[in-house]
Amino acid sequence: MPDMPARGRMVVVIGAQWGDEGKGKLVDLLTERAAAVARFQGGHNAGHTLVIGGRKTVLSLIPSGVLREGVTCYIGNGVVLSIPALLKEAATLAEGGVPALERLRISPNCPLILPGHVELDHAREKARGARAIGTTGRGIGPAYEDKVARRAVRVADLMDPVSFQAKLAEVVDHQNYLLGRYEGHTPLDPVEIAERWLDMGQRILPLVTDVGAELINARDAGGHVLLEGAQGALLDIDHGTYPFVTSSNTVAGAAAVGTGIGPRDIDHVLGITKAYTTRVGAGPFPTELDDHAGRHMARVGQEFGAVTGRPRRTGWLDLVALRQSIRHNSVSGLCITKLDVLDGLERVRLCTAYRLPDGSVVEQPPLRADDYASCQPVLEDMEGWSSPTSGLTELARLPAAARRYLERVETLAGVPVELVSTGPERDQTIVLRSPFDVREWCPGEDSNLHASRH
Ligand code: GDP
Ligand code: IMO
Ligand code: MG
């Protein structure tokens, strides 16, 4: 038998909170050793920030491996694709010397986001008034609605202009009907949209490929593969704080469905969580703060949405929600980001349980998503630290109180901490173990964080 190359590992990176955990920074860092990176859900509602040598890049659709030559980036079938947004992002990258389209491959099965989806997103949010979800206004929800209704126009449809025009006319007709309910709507012209989309489509058709097959091939040839989640587990359409969620499955299971690999191809799931919590948009947030500590997190963490610029709400780390995310994603290891943002707080707190309106204390989120809003956090106090963790790359150099905080989070979460991020820069990271190297951890075993004490 000829020698088979050692297989690479397939690692899913997901946000374990309400998004913006620092997924982009981590994916960019980890791609140093990867052959491929794929997005598997969401669309350009994502905003993933990479900072290298003081230079900031914000990516919405293009995977966070794009800055590295030799890494192939994929947009999987689970992504709803805005062609104008993609071309704009690629053009911005090209201006900065990054040949994004040369590094990109796209699934033929991505549903297309059309102008009517964006209009519907805005019209519905406006009509909801005080009950608005606070969407990013990118047309994400309406585009997924059309996918599930089996009337979406997909990337592969661009290959046949005549049938594309017919399919698009059907969708636009439906959108004009829906939009007719809202004031000030000018009917959309299907002929004009078809022309523009077919024209732009020429740029992306050469990139179309069987994404799942290419990922498996890369893995079998010995390359590591990253599957980059967008949003976060608490925004998942099924498992999140419905209806204040996005319209896709954001959990790790979606990485298989959204790229065309199988569930057993996933070797490892890295869950990213901030050392505290943020949320942008409306919806319940049990540990939300409106005090000095919350303002400290917002100011020091520069908590403004990467896509919409909206201020992010801030609060303590919520272990009830995090444990649920760990379950829903079968998280193998955690990355704790923005530890440095807590520097200088006299006291830090962790939410270990919820108190319900009847006074009972529970360690699981409520069964009814609507009841989330009435949960009060049960908080555990810990000593803060005054010497900075900002930029540290070694565990041993962290202040003792910061170490204790991480260890407490690890114990309460029940999975090992694999990485700690101490600043926005790629190299401001403590790597305890790489998700590409690990043997899976067994409960009861000492993690690297704890073992390093002995
Ligand atoms: P993503 O959507 O999960 O990729 O996260 P975003 O890019 O939307 O938001 C994370 C923000 O925090 C970005 O501005 C990052 O540059 C920044 N960031 C990431 N990790 C750290 C960290 O460890 N410390 C600090 N201070 N900032 C970080
Ligand atoms: P990344 O990948 C944080 C939120 C919106 C809104 C809800 C629904 O950068 O972590 P949508 O436009 O998806 O229909 O909005 O989801 N949201 C995000 N919040 N980070 C994101 O992405 C988000 N993408 C959507 O604010 O509350
Ligand atoms: Mg973001």
Side-chain angles (χ1 to χ4, degrees):
M1 278 251 299
D3 275 352
M4 296 283 284
R7 274 174 34 155
R9 280 170 71 84
M10 291 245 191
V11 174
V12 181
V13 177
I14 54 100
Q17 301 173 302
W18 280 291
D20 303 327
E21 297 88 350
K23 299 174 291 291
K25 167 183 162 160
L26 265 296
V27 169
D28 165 64
L29 173 73
L30 294 172
T31 45
E32 186 178 10
R33 292 179 56 197
V37 194
R39 277 278 307 270
F40 57 83
Q41 45 69 232
H44 64 308
N45 49 349
H48 296 181
T49 314
L50 285 44
V51 185
I52 296 123
R55 187 160 160 192
K56 183 163 147 177
T57 306
V58 180
L59 300 168
S60 285
L61 259 174
I62 298 180
S64 299
V66 72
L67 301 190
R68 304 217 189 234
E69 201 180 340
V71 174
T72 312
C73 293
Y74 293 92
I75 296 185
N77 55 278
V79 171
V80 280
L81 184 68
S82 161
I83 303 180
L86 176 68
L87 294 179
K88 191 166 168 226
E89 191 167 317
T92 307
L93 285 163
E95 277 165 26
V98 179
L101 290 184
E102 283 174 26
R103 297 176 184 172
L104 190 67
R105 303 286 177 272
I106 300 173
S107 163
N109 295 347
C110 293
L112 297 179
I113 298 184
L114 300 170
H117 295 130
V118 180
E119 279 206 30
L120 274 167
D121 197 355
H122 286 290
R124 288 194 181 136
E125 281 286 275
K126 197 169 160 211
R128 283 176 79 99
R131 290 166 33 258
I133 289 164
T135 72
T136 59
R138 301 295 193 261
I140 304 293
Y144 277 117
E145 284 171 36
D146 278 353
K147 166 179 167 167
V148 177
R150 294 167 293 191
R151 68 176 156 254
V153 185
R154 308 200 298 178
V155 166
D157 292 321
L158 293 160
M159 293 173 186
D160 180 346
V162 176
S163 80
F164 180 82
Q165 281 161 345
K167 286 180 187 176
L168 187 102
E170 210 175 297
V171 182
V172 173
D173 182 51
H174 181 69
Q175 289 175 339
N176 279 332
Y177 168 75
L178 294 175
L179 285 163
R181 293 186 56 223
Y182 302 99
E183 256 175 52
H185 162 64
T186 325
L188 296 158
D189 175 359
V191 176
E192 184 268 333
I193 298 169
E195 247 172 50
R196 274 199 291 143
W197 253 250
L198 283 166
D199 183 41
M200 288 186 290
Q202 296 311 307
R203 306 269 315 274
I204 66 160
L205 281 179
L207 314 182
V208 173
T209 191
D210 183 336
V211 171
E214 289 204 14
L215 295 178
I216 300 273
N217 287 344
R219 187 272 315 270
D220 288 350
H224 296 310
V225 173
L226 285 165
L227 302 161
E228 176 179 1
Q231 290 80 54
L234 304 177
L235 288 170
D236 182 275
I237 182 76
D238 284 287
H239 302 291
T241 46
Y242 194 89
F244 299 99
V245 292
T246 190
S247 296
S248 65
N249 283 114
T250 58
V251 291
V257 183
T259 54
I261 61 166
R264 288 194 304 116
D265 288 312
I266 297 169
D267 294 299
H268 193 87
V269 179
L270 179 65
I272 318 276
T273 174
K274 284 180 183 168
Y276 50 99
T277 307
T278 62
R279 176 163 204 171
V280 57
F285 182 175
T287 64
E288 186 168 13
L289 292 170
D290 181 19
D291 66 359
H292 164 73
R295 285 190 289 277
H296 171 102
M297 293 166 191
R299 178 174 47 82
V300 181
Q302 296 181 18
E303 296 297 356
F304 294 93
V307 172
T308 56
R310 292 178 290 176
R312 296 178 186 143
R313 302 151 67 193
T314 52
W316 297 116
L317 183 58
D318 181 344
L319 268 302
V320 179
L322 183 61
R323 276 194 297 261
Q324 178 182 256
S325 290
I326 288 169
R327 247 188 347 269
H328 286 154
N329 292 278
S330 55
V331 165
S332 330
L334 284 174
C335 170
I336 300 184
T337 59
K338 303 192 98 163
L339 181 69
D340 55 298
V341 173
L342 301 183
D343 291 356
L345 286 175
E346 224 165 89
R347 177 188 64 175
V348 286
R349 308 182 88 180
L350 290 170
C351 167
T352 55
Y354 293 154
R355 182 167 288 111
L356 303 182
D358 66 3
S360 59
V361 170
V362 294
E363 291 188 355
Q364 309 268 339
L367 282 177
R368 244 168 51 100
D370 285 355
D371 293 336
Y372 228 102
S374 53
C375 290
Q376 293 296 320
V378 175
L379 295 167
E380 181 174 302
D381 280 10
M382 295 192 74
E383 187 195 340
W385 51 93
S386 51
S387 61
T389 66
S390 180
L392 293 183
T393 55
E394 287 168 51
L395 189 67
R397 303 196 56 181
L398 288 181
R403 276 286 283 274
R404 280 195 295 274
Y405 181 72
L406 292 176
E407 287 171 8
R408 186 69 185 137
V409 171
E410 184 178 81
T411 301
L412 290 168
V415 288
V417 173
E418 295 182 334
L419 301 113
V420 180
S421 172
T422 57
E425 283 277 347
R426 186 189 264 172
D427 56 9
Q428 291 180 312
T429 313
I430 301 170
V431 183
L432 294 163
R433 62 176 196 178
S434 162
F436 297 133
D437 294 333
V438 295
R439 177 178 63 79
E440 290 304 295
W441 176 79
C442 302
E445 213 175 285
D446 255 355
S447 72
N448 286 8
L449 185 65
H450 276 89
S452 62
R453 274 210 179 282
H454 305 319

